[in-house]
Amino acid sequence: MLDVRQLEALVAVLEHGSFGAAAGQLHLTLAAVSLRVKALEETLGQRLLVRGKRLRATVAGQALLAHARQLQLMEADLLASLPGHLPVAGQDWQRLSVAVNADSVAAWFLPGVAPLLRRQRLLLDIVVDDQDHTHDALRSGAVSGCVTTLARPLHGCVAEPLGVMRYRCVALPELVQQCLIAGAAVSPHRLLALPAVIFNRKDGLQDIFLERHFGLRQAAYPRHFVPATDAFMAALELGLGWGMVPEHELARRPVGRPPLVDVLPEATVDVVLYWQHWLREAPSAQALTLAVKLAASEQLEPIETSLPA
């Protein structure tokens, strides 16, 4: 049997990033937290933490972190279901950690799960990352579910298809005009002479667009990095360059905003999204999974009808 206090210490250290911060959160001395983690490592016969400038979990530590998070959720669900249970004021909320790509958070994820969060008093701890990397947080045990492009289930997880997020390459009309040659065709060389507006260094949508529609691989071009959704759109509206924008974002733009038009009309990049989550979920996590799937079915393009342009 694993010692609950030792597990609690390990979780606190990984969540807060240091033994000192974990000690403060648990109201223990630093030495006490260190001893509990060391005792857990000795019991299991292997290291659970990589100690250095930044503490991180080993593979075994990641598995234990996920296990401890599952236990916490199950215990909270059990207590809430007991007859006559009277929660302490302010402590009747449950926290669920998830990883979601920035384009999904405000567009469909939060609107879709908001009623459930209010109804069941759930708190979200959202890790925002590129859709090709959100599964890293699930693999590490930091979250219980993620919106990802990874179709293959991680160990101990389930991957459920959500739908397709469709992206278009857009810019201000005057920038698109600079890319045209005789016959109104788009010149890739003229396009690459202009800067691209990119969300962050993990964002590869523009490279997919260039390879799929122009046959260009590892193309060199100037780039702006703007890692905030509103600022990203503002950069495009200010004419700083061209960029990949979700189709739904273009459809709901307020009247009066600077016009953004397709660089290559009807050419899209379709990203298939999945909801990966633990195979064994607590009731609250199961409810979140259902809400996520329903929201996606209402807001995303269905996978079976999505064909690359």
Side-chain angles (χ1 to χ4, degrees):
M1 295 293 291
L2 296 172
D3 187 294
V4 175
R5 294 179 303 172
Q6 294 172 0
L7 273 178
E8 182 183 51
L10 176 68
V11 171
V13 169
L14 289 172
E15 284 186 344
H16 295 279
S18 73
F19 282 88
Q25 191 263 331
L26 296 174
H27 304 292
L28 296 171
T29 64
L30 188 151
V33 174
S34 180
L35 285 173
R36 288 184 182 184
V37 173
K38 184 178 180 180
L40 185 57
E41 289 180 321
E42 291 176 349
T43 298
L44 297 173
Q46 56 187 305
R47 296 182 65 182
L48 302 175
L49 294 173
V50 177
R51 294 160 173 83
K53 287 186 177 180
R54 185 177 66 87
L55 281 172
R56 59 185 177 87
T58 63
V59 173
Q62 292 172 3
L64 275 181
L65 177 61
H67 173 71
R69 288 260 172 82
Q70 286 176 307
L71 288 180
Q72 290 171 347
L73 286 176
M74 290 178 181
E75 180 179 292
D77 283 329
L78 174 62
L79 289 175
S81 67
L82 292 178
H85 173 64
L86 297 175
V88 178
Q91 295 184 10
D92 56 335
W93 292 81
Q94 293 184 56
R95 179 168 66 92
L96 290 172
S97 298
V98 296
V100 187
N101 60 309
D103 288 330
S104 291
V105 172
W108 64 268
F109 187 89
L110 277 179
V113 303
L116 171 72
L117 302 182
R118 291 191 293 264
R119 186 171 63 251
Q120 297 199 10
R121 299 177 71 79
L122 299 176
L123 300 173
L124 277 187
D125 186 350
I126 300 178
V127 176
V128 176
D129 204 345
D130 184 87
Q131 59 267 10
D132 293 333
H133 298 270
T134 47
H135 63 272
D136 291 335
L138 182 61
R139 178 185 286 115
S140 72
V143 301
S144 60
C146 67
V147 176
T148 176
T149 55
L150 183 66
R152 178 179 54 82
L154 297 176
H155 178 69
C157 295
V158 177
E160 304 196 56
L162 292 176
V164 172
M165 184 165 280
R166 180 163 292 160
Y167 289 82
R168 293 184 176 276
C169 182
V170 298
L172 289 181
E174 52 265 38
L175 288 186
V176 175
Q177 284 296 318
Q178 294 179 35
C179 301
L180 302 181
I181 54 177
V186 173
S187 164
H189 301 291
R190 292 188 179 185
L191 176 63
L192 296 184
L194 299 173
V197 179
I198 302 172
F199 191 77
N200 61 28
R201 285 169 174 78
K202 294 180 179 179
D203 185 0
L205 286 173
Q206 62 287 335
D207 290 325
I208 296 173
F209 173 81
L210 292 171
E211 181 177 352
R212 181 173 297 174
H213 299 295
F214 292 109
L216 299 173
R217 290 189 177 185
Q218 298 180 336
Y221 50 91
R223 310 168 189 226
H224 295 291
F225 292 101
V226 188
T229 304
D230 291 343
F232 179 89
M233 293 301 296
L236 292 175
E237 293 172 350
L238 289 168
L240 296 185
W242 54 274
M244 304 300 297
V245 177
E247 193 172 64
H248 63 256
E249 185 73 25
L250 295 170
R252 69 181 188 186
R253 295 182 70 234
V255 176
R257 302 296 297 179
L260 295 175
V261 299
D262 284 298
V263 171
L264 198 62
E266 304 309 319
T268 62
V269 172
D270 286 355
V271 177
V272 181
L273 298 177
Y274 298 84
W275 175 246
Q276 288 228 24
H277 59 91
W278 293 331
L279 179 61
R280 293 178 295 175
E281 287 189 304
S284 55
Q286 291 175 2
L288 180 67
T289 287
L290 292 175
V292 169
K293 291 165 60 178
L294 178 60
S297 69
E298 295 175 346
Q299 298 297 325
L300 300 181
E301 296 286 334
I303 294 175
E304 61 270 16
T305 62
S306 172
L307 296 173

Short mmCIF file of all heavy atoms in Angstrom, two decimals, residues 145-208:
data_model
loop_
_atom_site.label_atom_id
_atom_site.label_comp_id
_atom_site.label_asym_id
_atom_site.label_seq_id
_atom_site.Cartn_x
_atom_site.Cartn_y
_atom_site.Cartn_z
N GLY A 145 -6.85 15.23 -18.89
CA GLY A 145 -7.36 15.15 -20.25
C GLY A 145 -6.77 16.25 -21.10
O GLY A 145 -6.30 17.26 -20.58
N CYS A 146 -6.76 16.03 -22.42
CA CYS A 146 -6.19 17.05 -23.30
C CYS A 146 -6.85 17.01 -24.67
O CYS A 146 -7.29 15.95 -25.14
CB CYS A 146 -4.69 16.88 -23.45
SG CYS A 146 -4.18 15.38 -24.33
N VAL A 147 -6.93 18.17 -25.30
CA VAL A 147 -7.33 18.28 -26.71
C VAL A 147 -6.04 18.20 -27.52
O VAL A 147 -5.14 19.02 -27.35
CB VAL A 147 -8.06 19.61 -26.98
CG1 VAL A 147 -8.36 19.74 -28.47
CG2 VAL A 147 -9.34 19.69 -26.17
N THR A 148 -5.94 17.21 -28.38
CA THR A 148 -4.68 16.92 -29.04
C THR A 148 -4.89 16.43 -30.46
O THR A 148 -6.00 16.04 -30.84
CB THR A 148 -3.89 15.85 -28.25
OG1 THR A 148 -2.69 15.50 -28.94
CG2 THR A 148 -4.73 14.58 -28.08
N THR A 149 -3.83 16.45 -31.26
CA THR A 149 -3.87 15.86 -32.60
C THR A 149 -3.41 14.41 -32.57
O THR A 149 -3.45 13.73 -33.59
CB THR A 149 -2.96 16.64 -33.56
OG1 THR A 149 -1.63 16.71 -33.02
CG2 THR A 149 -3.49 18.05 -33.78
N LEU A 150 -2.97 13.93 -31.41
CA LEU A 150 -2.45 12.56 -31.30
C LEU A 150 -3.61 11.56 -31.26
O LEU A 150 -4.40 11.55 -30.31
CB LEU A 150 -1.59 12.43 -30.03
CG LEU A 150 -0.92 11.06 -29.83
CD1 LEU A 150 0.13 10.82 -30.92
CD2 LEU A 150 -0.26 11.00 -28.45
N ALA A 151 -3.70 10.73 -32.29
CA ALA A 151 -4.80 9.76 -32.37
C ALA A 151 -4.49 8.49 -31.58
O ALA A 151 -5.42 7.79 -31.14
CB ALA A 151 -5.08 9.41 -33.83
N ARG A 152 -3.21 8.17 -31.43
CA ARG A 152 -2.84 6.94 -30.71
C ARG A 152 -2.93 7.17 -29.20
O ARG A 152 -2.30 8.09 -28.68
CB ARG A 152 -1.41 6.52 -31.08
CG ARG A 152 -0.90 5.29 -30.36
CD ARG A 152 0.51 4.95 -30.83
NE ARG A 152 1.41 6.08 -30.70
CZ ARG A 152 2.02 6.44 -29.56
NH1 ARG A 152 1.82 5.76 -28.45
NH2 ARG A 152 2.84 7.48 -29.55
N PRO A 153 -3.72 6.37 -28.50
CA PRO A 153 -3.87 6.59 -27.05
C PRO A 153 -2.55 6.42 -26.31
O PRO A 153 -1.78 5.50 -26.60
CB PRO A 153 -4.88 5.50 -26.63
CG PRO A 153 -5.55 5.07 -27.89
CD PRO A 153 -4.53 5.24 -28.97
N LEU A 154 -2.30 7.30 -25.37
CA LEU A 154 -1.17 7.12 -24.47
C LEU A 154 -1.46 5.97 -23.53
O LEU A 154 -2.60 5.53 -23.39
CB LEU A 154 -0.93 8.41 -23.67
CG LEU A 154 -0.56 9.66 -24.47
CD1 LEU A 154 -0.45 10.86 -23.53
CD2 LEU A 154 0.74 9.46 -25.22
N HIS A 155 -0.43 5.47 -22.86
CA HIS A 155 -0.60 4.34 -21.95
C HIS A 155 -1.60 4.69 -20.85
O HIS A 155 -1.48 5.73 -20.20
CB HIS A 155 0.75 3.99 -21.32
CG HIS A 155 0.67 2.87 -20.32
ND1 HIS A 155 0.40 1.57 -20.67
CD2 HIS A 155 0.80 2.88 -18.97
CE1 HIS A 155 0.37 0.82 -19.59
NE2 HIS A 155 0.61 1.58 -18.54
N GLY A 156 -2.61 3.85 -20.69
CA GLY A 156 -3.61 4.07 -19.66
C GLY A 156 -4.65 5.11 -20.02
O GLY A 156 -5.41 5.55 -19.16
N CYS A 157 -4.68 5.51 -21.30
CA CYS A 157 -5.60 6.57 -21.73
C CYS A 157 -6.49 6.11 -22.88
O CYS A 157 -6.27 5.06 -23.48
CB CYS A 157 -4.80 7.81 -22.16
SG CYS A 157 -3.87 8.58 -20.81
N VAL A 158 -7.47 6.92 -23.18
CA VAL A 158 -8.39 6.70 -24.30
C VAL A 158 -8.33 7.94 -25.19
O VAL A 158 -8.28 9.06 -24.70
CB VAL A 158 -9.84 6.51 -23.80
CG1 VAL A 158 -10.80 6.36 -24.98
CG2 VAL A 158 -9.94 5.30 -22.88
N ALA A 159 -8.31 7.73 -26.51
CA ALA A 159 -8.33 8.84 -27.47
C ALA A 159 -9.66 8.81 -28.21
O ALA A 159 -9.95 7.86 -28.94
CB ALA A 159 -7.18 8.72 -28.45
N GLU A 160 -10.46 9.85 -28.02
CA GLU A 160 -11.78 9.91 -28.66
C GLU A 160 -11.80 11.05 -29.68
O GLU A 160 -11.44 12.19 -29.35
CB GLU A 160 -12.86 10.12 -27.61
CG GLU A 160 -12.85 9.04 -26.52
CD GLU A 160 -14.14 9.03 -25.72
OE1 GLU A 160 -15.21 8.90 -26.33
OE2 GLU A 160 -14.06 9.16 -24.48
N PRO A 161 -12.20 10.76 -30.92
CA PRO A 161 -12.23 11.81 -31.96
C PRO A 161 -13.24 12.89 -31.63
O PRO A 161 -14.36 12.61 -31.21
CB PRO A 161 -12.62 11.04 -33.22
CG PRO A 161 -13.30 9.81 -32.74
CD PRO A 161 -12.65 9.45 -31.43
N LEU A 162 -12.84 14.14 -31.80
CA LEU A 162 -13.71 15.29 -31.53
C LEU A 162 -14.25 15.92 -32.80
O LEU A 162 -15.43 16.25 -32.89
CB LEU A 162 -12.94 16.35 -30.73
CG LEU A 162 -12.54 15.99 -29.31
CD1 LEU A 162 -11.70 17.12 -28.70
CD2 LEU A 162 -13.76 15.72 -28.45
N GLY A 163 -13.40 16.12 -33.78
CA GLY A 163 -13.81 16.79 -35.00
C GLY A 163 -12.63 17.50 -35.63
O GLY A 163 -11.47 17.29 -35.25
N VAL A 164 -12.93 18.34 -36.59
CA VAL A 164 -11.90 19.02 -37.37
C VAL A 164 -11.96 20.52 -37.15
O VAL A 164 -13.03 21.12 -37.23
CB VAL A 164 -12.07 18.71 -38.87
CG1 VAL A 164 -11.13 19.56 -39.72
CG2 VAL A 164 -11.83 17.24 -39.14
N MET A 165 -10.81 21.11 -36.88
CA MET A 165 -10.69 22.56 -36.85
C MET A 165 -10.04 22.98 -38.16
O MET A 165 -8.93 22.55 -38.48
CB MET A 165 -9.87 23.03 -35.64
CG MET A 165 -9.80 24.53 -35.52
SD MET A 165 -9.21 25.09 -33.89
CE MET A 165 -10.69 24.94 -32.92
N ARG A 166 -10.75 23.80 -38.91
CA ARG A 166 -10.30 24.19 -40.26
C ARG A 166 -9.64 25.57 -40.21
O ARG A 166 -10.18 26.50 -39.64
CB ARG A 166 -11.49 24.19 -41.22
CG ARG A 166 -11.17 24.57 -42.64
CD ARG A 166 -12.29 24.14 -43.56
NE ARG A 166 -12.35 22.68 -43.62
CZ ARG A 166 -13.43 22.00 -44.00
NH1 ARG A 166 -14.54 22.65 -44.33
NH2 ARG A 166 -13.40 20.68 -44.05
N TYR A 167 -8.47 25.67 -40.83
CA TYR A 167 -7.71 26.92 -40.85
C TYR A 167 -7.58 27.44 -42.28
O TYR A 167 -7.49 26.68 -43.25
CB TYR A 167 -6.30 26.70 -40.30
CG TYR A 167 -6.26 26.45 -38.81
CD1 TYR A 167 -6.51 25.18 -38.30
CD2 TYR A 167 -5.96 27.47 -37.91
CE1 TYR A 167 -6.47 24.94 -36.92
CE2 TYR A 167 -5.92 27.25 -36.56
CZ TYR A 167 -6.17 25.99 -36.06
OH TYR A 167 -6.14 25.75 -34.70
N ARG A 168 -7.56 28.78 -42.40
CA ARG A 168 -7.35 29.45 -43.67
C ARG A 168 -6.16 30.40 -43.56
O ARG A 168 -5.93 30.99 -42.51
CB ARG A 168 -8.60 30.22 -44.10
CG ARG A 168 -9.79 29.32 -44.43
CD ARG A 168 -10.97 30.12 -44.94
NE ARG A 168 -12.06 29.24 -45.34
CZ ARG A 168 -12.15 28.65 -46.53
NH1 ARG A 168 -11.20 28.87 -47.44
NH2 ARG A 168 -13.15 27.84 -46.81
N CYS A 169 -5.45 30.55 -44.64
CA CYS A 169 -4.33 31.49 -44.70
C CYS A 169 -4.87 32.84 -45.15
O CYS A 169 -5.40 32.96 -46.26
CB CYS A 169 -3.27 30.98 -45.68
SG CYS A 169 -1.83 32.06 -45.78
N VAL A 170 -4.76 33.86 -44.30
CA VAL A 170 -5.37 35.16 -44.59
C VAL A 170 -4.38 36.30 -44.36
O VAL A 170 -3.37 36.14 -43.68
CB VAL A 170 -6.64 35.39 -43.74
CG1 VAL A 170 -7.69 34.33 -44.04
CG2 VAL A 170 -6.29 35.40 -42.25
N ALA A 171 -4.75 37.45 -44.92
CA ALA A 171 -3.98 38.69 -44.73
C ALA A 171 -4.86 39.85 -45.18
O ALA A 171 -5.96 39.65 -45.71
CB ALA A 171 -2.69 38.65 -45.55
N LEU A 172 -4.40 41.06 -44.97
CA LEU A 172 -5.11 42.23 -45.49
C LEU A 172 -5.11 42.19 -47.02
O LEU A 172 -4.16 41.68 -47.62
CB LEU A 172 -4.44 43.52 -45.01
CG LEU A 172 -4.56 43.88 -43.53
CD1 LEU A 172 -3.84 45.20 -43.26
CD2 LEU A 172 -6.02 43.99 -43.11
N PRO A 173 -6.16 42.72 -47.66
CA PRO A 173 -6.25 42.68 -49.13
C PRO A 173 -5.02 43.25 -49.83
O PRO A 173 -4.57 42.70 -50.84
CB PRO A 173 -7.50 43.51 -49.43
CG PRO A 173 -8.34 43.37 -48.20
CD PRO A 173 -7.36 43.32 -47.05
N GLU A 174 -4.46 44.35 -49.30
CA GLU A 174 -3.31 44.96 -49.96
C GLU A 174 -2.07 44.06 -49.92
O GLU A 174 -1.25 44.07 -50.84
CB GLU A 174 -2.98 46.33 -49.35
CG GLU A 174 -2.84 46.33 -47.84
CD GLU A 174 -4.13 46.71 -47.11
OE1 GLU A 174 -5.21 46.30 -47.59
OE2 GLU A 174 -4.02 47.42 -46.10
N LEU A 175 -1.95 43.25 -48.85
CA LEU A 175 -0.83 42.30 -48.80
C LEU A 175 -1.03 41.17 -49.79
O LEU A 175 -0.08 40.72 -50.44
CB LEU A 175 -0.68 41.74 -47.38
CG LEU A 175 -0.13 42.68 -46.31
CD1 LEU A 175 0.10 41.93 -45.02
CD2 LEU A 175 1.17 43.34 -46.76
N VAL A 176 -2.28 40.68 -49.89
CA VAL A 176 -2.56 39.62 -50.85
C VAL A 176 -2.28 40.09 -52.27
O VAL A 176 -1.73 39.34 -53.09
CB VAL A 176 -4.02 39.14 -50.71
CG1 VAL A 176 -4.35 38.10 -51.79
CG2 VAL A 176 -4.27 38.56 -49.33
N GLN A 177 -2.61 41.36 -52.56
CA GLN A 177 -2.35 41.91 -53.90
C GLN A 177 -0.86 41.86 -54.24
O GLN A 177 -0.48 41.64 -55.39
CB GLN A 177 -2.86 43.35 -53.99
CG GLN A 177 -4.37 43.47 -54.14
CD GLN A 177 -4.89 42.87 -55.43
OE1 GLN A 177 -4.29 43.04 -56.49
NE2 GLN A 177 -6.00 42.14 -55.33
N GLN A 178 -0.01 42.06 -53.22
CA GLN A 178 1.43 42.03 -53.46
C GLN A 178 1.92 40.64 -53.83
O GLN A 178 3.02 40.48 -54.37
CB GLN A 178 2.17 42.50 -52.20
CG GLN A 178 1.94 43.95 -51.84
CD GLN A 178 2.69 44.35 -50.57
OE1 GLN A 178 3.80 43.87 -50.31
NE2 GLN A 178 2.10 45.24 -49.79
N CYS A 179 1.11 39.62 -53.54
CA CYS A 179 1.51 38.24 -53.82
C CYS A 179 1.08 37.76 -55.19
O CYS A 179 1.45 36.66 -55.61
CB CYS A 179 0.93 37.29 -52.77
SG CYS A 179 1.42 37.64 -51.09
N LEU A 180 0.27 38.56 -55.90
CA LEU A 180 -0.30 38.12 -57.17
C LEU A 180 0.61 38.43 -58.34
O LEU A 180 1.31 39.44 -58.36
CB LEU A 180 -1.67 38.77 -57.39
CG LEU A 180 -2.73 38.52 -56.32
CD1 LEU A 180 -4.03 39.21 -56.70
CD2 LEU A 180 -2.95 37.03 -56.11
N ILE A 181 0.58 37.54 -59.33
CA ILE A 181 1.31 37.75 -60.59
C ILE A 181 0.29 37.71 -61.72
O ILE A 181 -0.91 37.68 -61.49
CB ILE A 181 2.41 36.69 -60.79
CG1 ILE A 181 1.81 35.28 -60.69
CG2 ILE A 181 3.51 36.85 -59.76
CD1 ILE A 181 2.83 34.17 -60.96
N ALA A 182 0.74 37.69 -62.94
CA ALA A 182 -0.16 37.70 -64.10
C ALA A 182 -1.18 36.57 -64.01
O ALA A 182 -0.84 35.44 -63.66
CB ALA A 182 0.67 37.56 -65.38
N GLY A 183 -2.42 36.90 -64.31
CA GLY A 183 -3.48 35.90 -64.24
C GLY A 183 -4.05 35.74 -62.86
O GLY A 183 -4.79 34.81 -62.59
N ALA A 184 -3.68 36.64 -61.96
CA ALA A 184 -4.19 36.65 -60.58
C ALA A 184 -3.76 35.42 -59.80
O ALA A 184 -4.40 35.06 -58.81
CB ALA A 184 -5.71 36.79 -60.57
N ALA A 185 -2.68 34.77 -60.23
CA ALA A 185 -2.17 33.62 -59.49
C ALA A 185 -1.28 34.09 -58.36
O ALA A 185 -0.61 35.13 -58.45
CB ALA A 185 -1.40 32.70 -60.43
N VAL A 186 -1.26 33.32 -57.27
CA VAL A 186 -0.42 33.66 -56.12
C VAL A 186 0.99 33.14 -56.36
O VAL A 186 1.20 31.97 -56.66
CB VAL A 186 -0.99 33.05 -54.83
CG1 VAL A 186 -0.03 33.28 -53.66
CG2 VAL A 186 -2.35 33.65 -54.52
N SER A 187 1.95 34.02 -56.22
CA SER A 187 3.36 33.64 -56.34
C SER A 187 3.88 33.26 -54.96
O SER A 187 3.92 34.09 -54.05
CB SER A 187 4.18 34.81 -56.90
OG SER A 187 5.56 34.60 -56.67
N PRO A 188 4.30 32.00 -54.77
CA PRO A 188 4.84 31.62 -53.46
C PRO A 188 6.08 32.42 -53.08
O PRO A 188 6.32 32.69 -51.91
CB PRO A 188 5.14 30.12 -53.62
CG PRO A 188 5.23 29.90 -55.08
CD PRO A 188 4.30 30.88 -55.72
N HIS A 189 6.85 32.81 -54.08
CA HIS A 189 8.07 33.58 -53.79
C HIS A 189 7.71 34.97 -53.26
O HIS A 189 8.37 35.48 -52.34
CB HIS A 189 8.93 33.69 -55.06
CG HIS A 189 9.36 32.36 -55.61
ND1 HIS A 189 10.26 31.55 -54.96
CD2 HIS A 189 8.97 31.70 -56.73
CE1 HIS A 189 10.44 30.44 -55.67
NE2 HIS A 189 9.67 30.51 -56.75
N ARG A 190 6.67 35.58 -53.81
CA ARG A 190 6.24 36.88 -53.30
C ARG A 190 5.63 36.72 -51.90
O ARG A 190 5.81 37.59 -51.04
CB ARG A 190 5.22 37.51 -54.25
CG ARG A 190 5.82 37.93 -55.58
CD ARG A 190 4.83 38.72 -56.41
NE ARG A 190 5.40 39.16 -57.69
CZ ARG A 190 4.79 39.94 -58.56
NH1 ARG A 190 3.56 40.41 -58.27
NH2 ARG A 190 5.38 40.27 -59.68
N LEU A 191 4.90 35.63 -51.69
CA LEU A 191 4.33 35.38 -50.37
C LEU A 191 5.43 35.23 -49.32
O LEU A 191 5.35 35.79 -48.22
CB LEU A 191 3.46 34.12 -50.40
CG LEU A 191 2.86 33.69 -49.05
CD1 LEU A 191 1.90 34.74 -48.52
CD2 LEU A 191 2.14 32.34 -49.21
N LEU A 192 6.48 34.48 -49.67
CA LEU A 192 7.56 34.23 -48.71
C LEU A 192 8.43 35.46 -48.49
O LEU A 192 9.23 35.48 -47.55
CB LEU A 192 8.42 33.06 -49.19
CG LEU A 192 7.71 31.71 -49.28
CD1 LEU A 192 8.69 30.61 -49.67
CD2 LEU A 192 7.05 31.36 -47.94
N ALA A 193 8.27 36.47 -49.33
CA ALA A 193 9.00 37.72 -49.10
C ALA A 193 8.34 38.54 -48.00
O ALA A 193 8.96 39.45 -47.45
CB ALA A 193 9.07 38.52 -50.39
N LEU A 194 7.08 38.19 -47.69
CA LEU A 194 6.35 38.89 -46.63
C LEU A 194 6.46 38.12 -45.32
O LEU A 194 6.56 36.89 -45.32
CB LEU A 194 4.87 39.02 -47.02
CG LEU A 194 4.55 39.81 -48.29
CD1 LEU A 194 3.06 39.69 -48.60
CD2 LEU A 194 4.96 41.27 -48.12
N PRO A 195 6.43 38.80 -44.19
CA PRO A 195 6.48 38.09 -42.90
C PRO A 195 5.22 37.27 -42.66
O PRO A 195 4.13 37.61 -43.11
CB PRO A 195 6.59 39.22 -41.87
CG PRO A 195 7.03 40.42 -42.63
CD PRO A 195 6.44 40.26 -44.01
N ALA A 196 5.38 36.17 -41.95
CA ALA A 196 4.24 35.40 -41.45
C ALA A 196 4.02 35.77 -39.99
O ALA A 196 4.98 36.07 -39.27
CB ALA A 196 4.51 33.91 -41.58
N VAL A 197 2.76 35.77 -39.58
CA VAL A 197 2.43 35.97 -38.17
C VAL A 197 2.14 34.59 -37.60
O VAL A 197 1.23 33.90 -38.05
CB VAL A 197 1.21 36.90 -37.99
CG1 VAL A 197 0.88 37.06 -36.51
CG2 VAL A 197 1.48 38.25 -38.63
N ILE A 198 2.94 34.18 -36.61
CA ILE A 198 2.88 32.82 -36.08
C ILE A 198 2.62 32.90 -34.58
O ILE A 198 3.14 33.78 -33.89
CB ILE A 198 4.19 32.07 -36.36
CG1 ILE A 198 4.44 32.03 -37.87
CG2 ILE A 198 4.16 30.65 -35.80
CD1 ILE A 198 5.80 31.47 -38.25
N PHE A 199 1.80 31.98 -34.08
CA PHE A 199 1.42 32.02 -32.66
C PHE A 199 2.63 31.81 -31.75
O PHE A 199 2.89 32.62 -30.86
CB PHE A 199 0.35 30.97 -32.37
CG PHE A 199 -0.28 31.11 -31.01
CD1 PHE A 199 -1.24 32.09 -30.78
CD2 PHE A 199 0.10 30.29 -29.97
CE1 PHE A 199 -1.82 32.24 -29.52
CE2 PHE A 199 -0.47 30.43 -28.71
CZ PHE A 199 -1.43 31.41 -28.49
N ASN A 200 3.36 30.73 -31.95
CA ASN A 200 4.59 30.50 -31.18
C ASN A 200 5.48 29.54 -31.97
O ASN A 200 5.14 29.12 -33.07
CB ASN A 200 4.30 29.97 -29.76
CG ASN A 200 3.56 28.65 -29.77
OD1 ASN A 200 3.68 27.85 -30.70
ND2 ASN A 200 2.76 28.41 -28.75
N ARG A 201 6.61 29.20 -31.41
CA ARG A 201 7.59 28.40 -32.14
C ARG A 201 7.19 26.93 -32.29
O ARG A 201 7.86 26.18 -32.99
CB ARG A 201 8.96 28.53 -31.46
CG ARG A 201 9.61 29.87 -31.75
CD ARG A 201 10.83 30.14 -30.90
NE ARG A 201 11.48 31.38 -31.31
CZ ARG A 201 11.05 32.61 -31.00
NH1 ARG A 201 9.95 32.76 -30.27
NH2 ARG A 201 11.71 33.67 -31.42
N LYS A 202 6.13 26.53 -31.62
CA LYS A 202 5.61 25.17 -31.81
C LYS A 202 4.59 25.11 -32.94
O LYS A 202 4.19 24.02 -33.37
CB LYS A 202 4.95 24.68 -30.51
CG LYS A 202 5.91 24.48 -29.35
CD LYS A 202 5.14 24.00 -28.13
CE LYS A 202 6.07 23.77 -26.94
NZ LYS A 202 5.32 23.31 -25.74
N ASP A 203 4.14 26.25 -33.40
CA ASP A 203 3.08 26.34 -34.40
C ASP A 203 3.64 26.02 -35.78
O ASP A 203 4.47 26.75 -36.30
CB ASP A 203 2.48 27.75 -34.37
CG ASP A 203 1.28 27.90 -35.28
OD1 ASP A 203 0.90 26.91 -35.94
OD2 ASP A 203 0.70 29.00 -35.33
N GLY A 204 3.16 24.92 -36.37
CA GLY A 204 3.65 24.52 -37.68
C GLY A 204 2.61 24.59 -38.78
O GLY A 204 2.82 24.07 -39.88
N LEU A 205 1.47 25.26 -38.52
CA LEU A 205 0.38 25.29 -39.50
C LEU A 205 0.79 25.96 -40.80
O LEU A 205 0.40 25.52 -41.88
CB LEU A 205 -0.83 26.00 -38.90
CG LEU A 205 -1.63 25.23 -37.85
CD1 LEU A 205 -2.69 26.13 -37.22
CD2 LEU A 205 -2.27 24.00 -38.46
N GLN A 206 1.56 27.04 -40.70
CA GLN A 206 1.96 27.75 -41.92
C GLN A 206 2.87 26.89 -42.79
O GLN A 206 2.79 26.93 -44.02
CB GLN A 206 2.63 29.10 -41.58
CG GLN A 206 3.91 29.00 -40.80
CD GLN A 206 3.68 28.61 -39.35
OE1 GLN A 206 2.61 28.84 -38.80
NE2 GLN A 206 4.67 28.00 -38.73
N ASP A 207 3.72 26.07 -42.17
CA ASP A 207 4.58 25.17 -42.94
C ASP A 207 3.77 24.07 -43.61
O ASP A 207 4.07 23.65 -44.74
CB ASP A 207 5.65 24.56 -42.03
CG ASP A 207 6.67 25.59 -41.57
OD1 ASP A 207 7.00 26.49 -42.36
OD2 ASP A 207 7.13 25.51 -40.42
N ILE A 208 2.74 23.58 -42.91
CA ILE A 208 1.84 22.58 -43.52
C ILE A 208 1.13 23.19 -44.72
O ILE A 208 1.01 22.55 -45.78
CB ILE A 208 0.82 22.08 -42.47
CG1 ILE A 208 1.53 21.34 -41.34
CG2 ILE A 208 -0.23 21.18 -43.14
CD1 ILE A 208 0.62 20.95 -40.20
#
